[in-house]
Amino acid sequence: MAHIALVGASDARRPRLGRPVGGSRPSSAGGVVLLLPDGEPVSGRRASARAHAAVLPLGRALARAGRSDDLVTHVVRYRGRGWNGTDANLAADASWAVAEAVRRYGDVPVCLVGHGLGARAALRAAGHDAVDAVLALAPWLPEDDVAAEPEAVRQLVGRRVMLVHGTNDAVTDPELSFRFAERAKKANRDTCRFEVHSDGHGLRQYASEVRALAADFVLGALFARPVARPVTDAMAAPPPLGLRMPLAAGFAGSRRR
């Protein structure tokens, strides 16, 4: 009965995109970024305003970096904050958001950018034809149930995929994202993973470097802009090198020079 209550609570609401981040009101777009905030494994509560606010600085940074390419950035407003087992509500909302972006903006490339459970939702929803790239920040990728099927990777084929994880993350296990990246790399060679040494789940200690890396990856994937050498090297390197690429302090400054 508790499970039914959870599903009913979220189904009574609808996901939304809201206004583009950065204050722009575009009539058209060259590309779209959909930001997927963190959530909770099980919950019937409304989506978290705190999690929504946490991804706004990254959204603004991406909007600024992609302005010349008419990049539009939205934060997805979930029906609720819970993943809720096989219902995978956040992934369903992410898939809806991709379809809504196509409805609004037409045939444009889409990048899914998620944090925590939002990163898991981004990876799950990557199979939509409009999705060109996925950026998974501190992804929540559990493997604690030996009877459960491993998280799927086939939907990532043909996309550019980057995972970023703090080595001191006490909320989501960085080793599990490494194992996922290993499997993803076998299915899709355009996969890499960066480690942010000593950073935690929120990736706040090296926030400027993470934002610069994100902008570099997103604009390179959506608009074929040149990317930084570490990104090129990470994509080209075989496991485990390309899946344990350190994010160096000063990455942000090196991209401005």
Side-chain angles (χ1 to χ4, degrees), residues 47 58 70 79 84 113 123 149 165 169 202 208 220 232 246 248 255:
L58 175 58
D70 295 324
R79 291 170 290 167
N84 298 331
V113 179
L123 293 163
E149 289 290 325
H165 218 139
D169 192 330
S208 60
T232 302
R255 293 302 291 159

Side-chain angles (χ1 to χ4, degrees), residues 12-143:
R13 300 185 285 265
R14 294 288 183 267
R16 293 181 293 122
L17 284 189
R19 297 176 180 176
V21 176
S24 61
R25 295 176 179 271
S27 57
S28 62
V32 177
V33 168
L34 298 175
L35 284 156
L36 299 161
D38 206 349
E40 296 178 7
V42 179
S43 178
R45 298 174 64 193
R46 290 184 177 275
S48 167
R50 178 178 294 182
H52 182 279
V55 298
L56 284 175
L58 175 58
R60 294 186 188 107
L62 292 173
R64 286 194 302 270
R67 187 166 290 129
S68 63
D69 291 299
D70 295 324
L71 179 67
V72 179
T73 303
H74 287 275
V75 179
V76 178
R77 295 180 180 271
Y78 304 128
R79 291 170 290 167
R81 68 183 68 186
W83 182 272
N84 298 331
T86 56
D87 292 330
N89 289 333
L90 304 188
D93 290 354
S95 294
W96 172 88
V98 178
E100 176 64 10
V102 171
R103 186 191 71 80
R104 289 192 190 188
Y105 300 112
D107 185 18
V108 297
V110 174
C111 179
L112 296 172
V113 179
H115 178 249
L117 272 161
R120 188 184 188 190
L123 293 163
R124 280 273 186 105
H128 194 289
D129 289 344
V131 176
D132 278 22
V134 180
L135 175 58
L137 304 171
W140 192 83
L141 298 165
E143 289 186 0

